[in-house]
Amino acid sequence: MGQSLIQISEKLREADKKVQLIYAFNGSGKTRLSREFKQLIAPKEIEAEQEEDSGIKILYYNAFTEDLFFWDNDLEADSDRKLKIQPNSFTNWVLREQGQDRNIVENFQLLTNDKLTPQFNEEFTEVRFSFERGNEGDTEFVKISKGEESCFIWSVFFSLMEQVVSVLNIAEKENRETDQYDKLEYIFIDDPVSSLDDTHLIELAVNISELIKSSTSDLKFIITTHNPLFYNVLFNEFNRVRRTKKWILEKLNDGTFSVNELENDSPFSYHLFLLAELEKAIQPTGEIKKFHFNFLRNILEKTSTFLGYNKWEELLPQESREAYYRRIINLSSHSKHHGDEIAIVEENDKRVLGFLVNEIKRMYGFKPTINTSTTEENVTV
């Protein structure tokens, strides 16, 4: 028998987990679930009271968050295009009260282009975008794509998340820089940026998981998505995090809903997709980037879960295992500077990647899609 979204919201609250990850196809009610959950945690009749006594209980990001931003295309002169921000407590809080504009710019450039720069006006009611050219010529403001716009709006929310986690990690309330988050219970994230390419989507998932895993307070997180790759990376990242639940949300034919727990493995095989991408990258005609080490790390995490190992590094060749582990960690770690993520990889690191891909395929019986021939003799760690 199906359930209403209100009943499912109650189920999520009763689960009382640090992290709850929910996969659902488009049209299955994810955004409506986020609104019902918000209403359950903070009913509308007490929202005004919460704002007055700094008692905000939930922050949520969904499609309605994007409705707070709209374009003025300057149809007459066609030269001063700007993204306008509707007056609202959320953006006033992030921009005016918390001064997160510099962090927003940094997070936005990380997901898009390190030359594409948002510029807020003094009142934080609008933002213009331009490309830094390194000269003193007139600045030309551009209208960014819909995908870039989504990245910008997400960056506003993620910057707030970073500050919230940092503040609440201070156990003694009297030592916190603000009391605005003291009663915060949940952060609900519904499909943050679905327009990203696979590389940046993986990076986004890793960034979110690293931030959540750094949270030491009682703050709880619920993440919903329709994207299998995003779900799979988060599934692997949170696989060994205590107090975690993974669900699949479905809409039934009678208009009700069901939510079922995934107890063991992720239902998606994106590790095979990542392996195919690695096989192409290590070919003589391929091009190896730093993010390919992130692909390898995700494959190892997925395989270690399936084989029952506690740590993915246990799957590495025993000889020089620690050195391989450090190499993967160093090259797959997140950098605050977008340019570092696409920097040219040193030749020896390329040889190490090629050797590890082929050795892991041999050791654990992966079926090759491409004939590769990197050998151990070519590798020094």
Side-chain angles (χ1 to χ4, degrees):
M1 180 180 294
Q3 297 176 299
S4 68
L5 292 177
I6 295 176
Q7 291 172 312
I8 291 176
S9 296
E10 292 172 344
K11 189 172 185 177
L12 297 178
R13 182 173 67 173
E14 291 169 1
D16 192 33
K17 297 295 182 180
K18 180 74 174 179
V19 182
Q20 296 188 74
L21 177 62
I22 304 171
Y23 178 82
F25 294 105
N26 270 335
S28 297
K30 294 183 287 77
T31 300
R32 282 177 288 164
L33 177 62
S34 70
R35 298 181 72 189
E36 291 291 352
F37 190 83
K38 178 181 182 292
Q39 178 65 11
L40 177 66
I41 301 301
K44 289 183 179 179
E45 57 266 23
I46 66 171
E47 283 182 353
E49 178 184 342
Q50 287 181 6
E51 291 181 2
E52 290 176 4
D53 67 3
S54 299
I56 296 170
K57 291 186 175 182
I58 182 170
L59 295 173
Y60 74 112
Y61 177 92
N62 62 20
F64 291 94
T65 309
E66 298 192 5
D67 292 341
L68 301 175
F69 301 79
F70 62 99
W71 279 97
D72 177 349
N73 292 316
D74 187 21
L75 296 178
E76 292 186 4
D78 194 31
S79 62
D80 186 19
R81 307 169 191 89
K82 49 187 173 288
L83 187 64
K84 306 200 77 170
I85 305 172
Q86 296 190 43
N88 66 92
S89 58
F90 168 63
T91 54
N92 286 342
W93 190 21
V94 180
L95 292 166
R96 294 185 180 181
E97 297 184 29
Q98 304 303 325
Q100 291 291 308
D101 48 309
R102 294 181 66 87
N103 289 334
I104 291 169
V105 172
E106 188 174 85
N107 285 320
F108 171 70
Q109 291 180 331
L110 183 66
L111 293 175
T112 55
N113 185 316
D114 58 3
K115 301 298 182 184
L116 182 57
T117 305
Q119 300 177 31
F120 294 93
N121 67 347
E122 292 184 1
E123 296 79 20
F124 295 109
T125 57
E126 56 191 37
V127 57
R128 295 171 171 84
F129 299 85
S130 63
F131 285 94
E132 294 182 358
R133 292 183 170 84
N135 55 48
E136 298 182 358
D138 293 336
T139 299
E140 179 183 357
F141 296 116
V142 299
K143 182 175 182 179
I144 57 177
S145 69
K146 187 63 179 177
E148 290 167 334
E149 180 183 338
S150 295
C151 286
F152 173 76
I153 298 168
W154 165 252
S155 298
V156 175
F157 188 85
F158 186 72
S159 298
L160 175 60
M161 274 184 61
E162 288 182 308
Q163 194 204 21
V164 166
V165 169
S166 174
V167 169
L168 293 183
N169 277 353
I170 300 173
E172 298 78 14
K173 292 183 179 181
E174 60 273 13
N175 293 333
R176 294 172 181 171
E177 62 184 84
T178 178
D179 63 358
Q180 289 181 303
Y181 316 130
D182 284 357
K183 295 184 180 180
L184 189 64
E185 298 177 15
Y186 286 93
I187 293 181
F188 197 118
I189 303 170
D190 174 33
D191 264 337
V193 181
S194 58
S195 59
L196 291 173
D197 59 50
D198 287 348
T199 298
H200 286 97
L201 200 65
I202 291 172
E203 183 177 18
L204 175 65
V206 172
N207 292 349
I208 292 173
S209 65
E210 287 180 349
L211 179 60
I212 292 176
K213 286 187 285 188
S214 73
S215 173
T216 58
S217 69
D218 293 330
L219 186 60
K220 303 177 185 70
F221 301 83
I222 298 176
I223 307 171
T224 65
T225 183
H226 75 282
N227 187 291
L229 174 57
F230 185 67
Y231 181 91
N232 203 71
V233 175
L234 287 174
F235 188 104
N236 291 332
E237 291 290 330
F238 290 126
N239 192 56
R240 291 193 294 272
V241 175
R242 293 182 179 180
R243 297 181 61 206
T244 300
K245 272 188 180 291
K246 296 102 172 180
W247 310 90
I248 287 187
L249 174 69
E250 295 179 286
K251 185 177 181 180
L252 306 180
N253 291 333
D254 62 1
T256 61
F257 303 84
S258 70
V259 62
N260 297 303
E261 185 178 358
L262 290 167
E263 303 211 357
N264 296 315
D265 198 15
S266 166
F268 306 108
S269 298
Y270 258 79
H271 60 300
L272 300 180
F273 164 78
L274 297 180
L275 180 60
E277 292 297 302
L278 284 173
E279 288 182 319
K280 288 187 287 186
I282 64 177
Q283 290 296 292
T285 56
E287 187 175 10
I288 295 174
K289 299 293 186 180
K290 287 182 67 178
F291 61 77
H292 286 115
F293 285 85
N294 218 331
F295 285 10
L296 178 60
R297 177 177 173 179
N298 275 281
I299 291 171
L300 290 167
E301 289 176 340
K302 178 76 172 179
T303 307
S304 66
T305 299
F306 179 75
L307 296 177
Y309 288 88
N310 291 324
K311 299 178 179 179
W312 60 263
E313 55 264 33
E314 295 179 31
L315 271 61
L316 295 170
Q318 188 167 2
E319 184 178 354
S320 302
R321 175 175 294 169
E322 183 62 28
Y324 289 132
Y325 170 72
R326 289 197 303 270
R327 185 68 59 88
I328 294 172
I329 287 294
N330 289 339
L331 288 167
S332 66
S333 295
H334 164 62
S335 169
K336 279 291 186 182
H337 299 286
H338 177 68
D340 293 344
E341 297 300 321
I342 58 174
I344 297 175
V345 180
E346 294 182 2
E347 288 301 317
N348 192 57
D349 290 331
K350 294 180 181 180
R351 289 192 289 269
V352 168
L353 181 68
F355 166 69
L356 288 176
V357 169
N358 287 313
E359 190 67 1
I360 288 165
K361 284 163 50 183
R362 181 190 67 79
M363 293 169 64
Y364 303 106
F366 283 101
K367 183 179 179 180
T369 61
I370 298 175
N371 181 28
T372 53
S373 58
T374 306
T375 61
E376 185 171 4
E377 287 73 22
N378 294 330
V379 174
T380 57
V381 182

